[in-house]
Amino acid sequence: MKKNLSRKPARAPQKAKFEMSPAIQARMEKAMVSIGNIAGKQARKDDKIQREARLAIAETFDAWIDWLEEEAPDQIEEMFFELGCFATATNRRRMFKHAKAPDGVAERAQEQVDQWKAEEEAAREAAKAEAAGGANGHADV
């Protein structure tokens, strides 16, 4: 039993290209400006919410440290250490000037940051060596 296949042209005929009228083009431009304004307004609103959230945390920080000093004094050094490990160098220096920052925690945090940098550099060098060794190893095959 044979199946009759309908023949389709190998190529579809080209359709006329759509051209926007000046009125439609003006309306599209106006709509894009409107969308841009709405997105900008929403972005500013979101930024304000995040600024306010960071300010609330900053304003609560000293009260939390005071509570921590009474309830778990051993946690203060650990908290400063952890924050210091993830802060930028400038913020780390500023952070450890805080009145409640324990002595020696700045050096401990800097040692940890230096260790992480050394490990990252060693991993980078190992990856380079492996890539160079892998390129040379394929020549033997």
Side-chain angles (χ1 to χ4, degrees):
M1 185 186 267
K2 284 190 173 181
K3 221 180 200 186
N4 289 335
L5 298 176
S6 65
R7 292 198 165 251
K8 286 186 179 179
R11 196 167 160 195
Q14 265 192 336
K15 296 179 181 176
K17 290 187 178 187
F18 173 76
E19 289 188 27
M20 233 186 275
S21 70
I24 293 175
Q25 188 171 359
R27 181 63 189 132
M28 287 289 287
E29 288 173 7
K30 190 175 180 182
M32 295 305 283
V33 168
S34 178
I35 290 169
N37 289 339
I38 291 168
K41 183 178 179 181
Q42 186 63 44
R44 286 188 299 278
K45 185 177 178 182
D46 292 344
D47 287 346
K48 181 181 181 222
I49 289 169
Q50 291 305 307
R51 270 194 319 275
E52 290 171 347
R54 286 189 296 276
L55 182 60
I57 291 169
E59 288 176 352
T60 309
F61 189 73
D62 284 332
W64 178 62
I65 290 178
D66 291 341
W67 174 84
L68 203 57
E69 193 172 40
E70 292 174 13
E71 298 296 320
D74 55 317
Q75 292 295 313
I76 291 178
E77 181 174 348
E78 195 60 30
M79 180 268 308
F80 271 101
F81 169 73
E82 290 174 3
L83 287 173
C85 287
F86 294 100
T88 63
T90 301
N91 285 343
R92 190 177 314 119
R93 189 175 58 252
R94 291 174 181 160
M95 189 182 306
F96 292 128
K97 291 179 183 177
H98 192 280
K100 303 278 182 167
D103 293 332
V105 74
E107 293 79 18
R108 191 173 144 218
Q110 187 61 49
E111 287 171 6
Q112 180 64 54
V113 169
D114 292 342
Q115 179 184 344
W116 285 341
K117 284 181 182 178
E119 289 171 356
E120 186 178 319
E121 183 62 31
R124 205 175 302 127
E125 291 298 322
K128 282 183 185 177
E130 185 177 318
N136 293 338
H138 289 297
D140 296 337
V141 176

